[in-house]
Amino acid sequence: MDFTFTEEQQAAVEAAEAVFADVVPDSVPSPALTAGAVADDFDRPLWRKLADTDLLSLLIAPEYGGAGLDPIALCLVLRESARVLARVPLLENSAAAFAVQTYATDTLCADVLPRAGRGELVITVAAEGRTGHDPAELAVTAHRDGPEWILDGLQTAVPWAQSADRVLVPAHTGDGTAVLALIPRLRDGVRLHDQVSTNGERHAEVHLDSVRARTDEVITDPRAWEWLRNVLTTGTCALALGLGQAVLAMTSAYTAKREQFGFPVATFQAVAVQAADRYIDLRAMEATLWQAAWRISTDANGALPPAGDVAVAKIWASEGVRRVVQTAQHLHGGFGADTDYSLHRYHAWAKQLELSLGPAAAHEETLGDLLAAHPLG
């Protein structure tokens, strides 16, 4: 069994490291000191760099100008982006483009994928539903009206919706099946209400009032939404891993130079034990992440459907990243609360990632349902 990453995947990591090398977490105002969003838009110069290095087209097939890689490669790049709190919709744009490529018509693929890979078309995903707790597809209804579809409802906490060109919206039909509609942000009937996320980024509540979508803009394959949700959740786990690794490195560097009683605090047993526990959390987050990414990339058989591995990964990501940042704050002492130091930014992002696409408890419930439906022999 070979657990190493492929040359192409490793090349993606190297490219990502080069792009993110100059990104600093404190390039925008602190979310702790800002009443609204820390910025009106995402980091456009960084977005341009990602496009120029082909990191926006990782998952897009070569016939549309992409590299044709898999979600594992995307997760590797997302891990690097989270180390510096990169303010770009890389996960949403990449996952949406991949869903279009996998399940949409050739017409929509030809229209969307080349431009998305070049960074000219920005796509976000409405994945949180009406409240962030209920299934997202139940928040919007979709029914046919001749050659078109009509969508009604709302989705909350849509990342960077005000800056996106299109929003990929899950909806449910009269017979209960889920569809995905790729809606232009400026289409008649689409209204955005500003929201601010825990980490200070600009989100939106997206209202759909009798919004019309062409047939080719709607993905009707019943597998598409669950597949997209798995990719988004796994990508969120990759972001949590990268953030946690960066925070543990910050904590290690700080405790190695901070002295008490004439010795670095890192040499104290209580400090070392807490740091070791968090290292174990990160290793568990890493193992479950790559298991989930491998399942959705290869469609390999398992005792449970891929959603089971994704649920386990998100449980570890949510719990693990919370423990990592809490321990980091504790070991930094008062310095950890200094808004001139970047640790508090990582704490805010960690809380956002912990709850995005469901906290640990929600995925424990999902895992329980899957175990009940697929008894292990």
Side-chain angles (χ1 to χ4, degrees), residues 10-28:
Q10 291 171 343
V13 174
E14 293 172 3
E17 289 174 342
V19 170
F20 296 125
D22 297 329
V23 178
V24 292
D26 55 359
S27 61
V28 292

Side-chain angles (χ1 to χ4, degrees), residues 85-101:
L85 306 184
R87 301 181 51 262
V88 286
L90 177 60
L91 170 58
E92 294 82 8
N93 190 79
S94 299
F98 201 23
V100 168
Q101 177 175 280

Side-chain angles (χ1 to χ4, degrees), residues 42 44 122-124 159-167 185-186:
F42 58 82
R44 292 282 180 173
V122 179
I123 309 172
T124 189
W160 287 297
Q162 298 88 341
S163 302
D165 299 296
R166 300 197 187 186
V167 182
R185 173 174 55 87
L186 300 179

Side-chain angles (χ1 to χ4, degrees), residues 7 30 37 49 56 59 62 66 84 86 113 135 140 145 159 167 172 175 178 207 216 222 224 240 279 286 288 329:
E7 291 184 6
S30 165
K49 290 181 180 178
L56 296 184
L59 306 186
V84 295
L113 298 181
V140 175
D145 182 28
V167 182
H172 70 282
D175 60 3
H207 290 252
D216 67 295
Y279 175 77
E286 189 172 23
T288 54
Q329 291 279 11

Side-chain angles (χ1 to χ4, degrees), residues 186-197:
L186 300 179
R187 179 157 292 174
D188 290 344
V190 177
R191 291 181 291 113
L192 305 183
H193 294 276
D194 279 359
Q195 295 177 315
V196 180
S197 64

Side-chain angles (χ1 to χ4, degrees), residues 11-355:
V13 174
E14 293 172 3
E17 289 174 342
V19 170
F20 296 125
D22 297 329
V23 178
V24 292
D26 55 359
S27 61
V28 292
S30 165
L33 303 176
T34 308
V38 296
D40 290 335
D41 199 1
F42 58 82
D43 191 338
R44 292 282 180 173
L46 178 58
W47 191 252
R48 185 70 263 153
K49 290 181 180 178
L50 289 168
D52 291 342
T53 52
D54 298 326
L55 290 176
L56 296 184
S57 58
L58 275 181
L59 306 186
I60 295 175
E63 56 263 37
Y64 299 112
L69 299 184
D70 56 22
I72 295 175
L74 174 63
C75 286
L76 286 166
V77 175
L78 290 169
R79 182 191 62 183
E80 300 306 313
S81 75
R83 296 183 194 272
V84 295
L85 306 184
R87 301 181 51 262
V88 286
L90 177 60
L91 170 58
E92 294 82 8
N93 190 79
S94 299
F98 201 23
V100 168
Q101 177 175 280
T102 306
Y103 295 105
T105 63
D106 292 341
T107 301
L108 190 61
C109 288
D111 175 44
V112 167
L113 298 181
R115 292 188 293 150
R118 294 193 299 266
E120 299 167 0
L121 183 75
V122 179
I123 309 172
T124 189
V125 183
E128 299 291 349
R130 181 179 292 270
T131 64
H133 300 287
D134 300 321
E137 69 275 15
L138 300 183
V140 175
T141 62
H143 67 273
R144 284 188 178 276
D145 182 28
E148 296 180 317
W149 288 79
I150 298 180
L151 292 93
D152 288 279
L154 70 87
Q155 296 278 354
T156 193
V158 181
W160 287 297
Q162 298 88 341
S163 302
D165 299 296
R166 300 197 187 186
V167 182
L168 190 57
V169 180
H172 70 282
T173 64
D175 60 3
T177 59
V179 299
L180 291 172
L182 190 62
I183 303 299
R185 173 174 55 87
L186 300 179
R187 179 157 292 174
D188 290 344
V190 177
R191 291 181 291 113
L192 305 183
H193 294 276
D194 279 359
Q195 295 177 315
V196 180
S197 64
T198 302
N199 58 348
E201 298 300 337
R202 195 179 184 197
H203 287 198
E205 185 176 78
V206 178
H207 290 252
L208 305 171
D209 184 9
S210 298
V211 175
R212 291 186 172 271
R214 303 190 311 268
T215 299
D216 67 295
E217 293 177 324
V218 179
I219 300 171
T220 58
D221 192 305
R223 301 166 296 176
W225 167 233
E226 181 181 1
W227 180 90
L228 175 59
R229 185 174 56 215
N230 284 340
V231 174
L232 290 169
T233 306
T234 305
T236 303
C237 296
L239 292 169
L241 175 63
L243 184 150
Q245 289 175 335
V247 167
L248 190 61
M250 292 170 61
T251 306
S252 175
Y254 177 78
T255 56
K257 66 182 181 182
R258 177 73 168 91
E259 291 189 358
Q260 284 284 2
F261 312 111
F263 296 94
V265 297
T267 62
F268 299 164
Q269 186 178 30
V271 173
V273 167
Q274 291 183 72
D277 285 343
R278 300 295 77 81
Y279 175 77
I280 292 171
D281 277 335
L282 289 173
R283 292 305 303 269
M285 291 166 63
E286 189 172 23
T288 54
L289 163 65
W290 298 128
Q291 170 71 11
W294 173 71
R295 286 295 305 278
I296 64 175
S297 296
T298 63
D299 201 25
N301 292 326
L304 294 176
D309 294 280
V310 173
V312 171
K314 188 57 166 68
I315 292 166
W316 272 105
S318 292
E319 296 285 356
V321 78
R322 174 174 51 80
R323 288 193 291 259
V324 167
V325 294
Q326 286 178 343
T327 297
Q329 291 279 11
H330 175 64
L331 296 182
H332 275 82
F335 194 54
D338 187 344
T339 54
D340 289 330
Y341 186 59
S342 61
L343 181 59
H344 75 287
R345 297 174 183 267
Y346 284 88
H347 202 150
W349 277 71
K351 179 57 66 174
Q352 179 71 26
L353 293 172
E354 176 191 348
L355 301 178

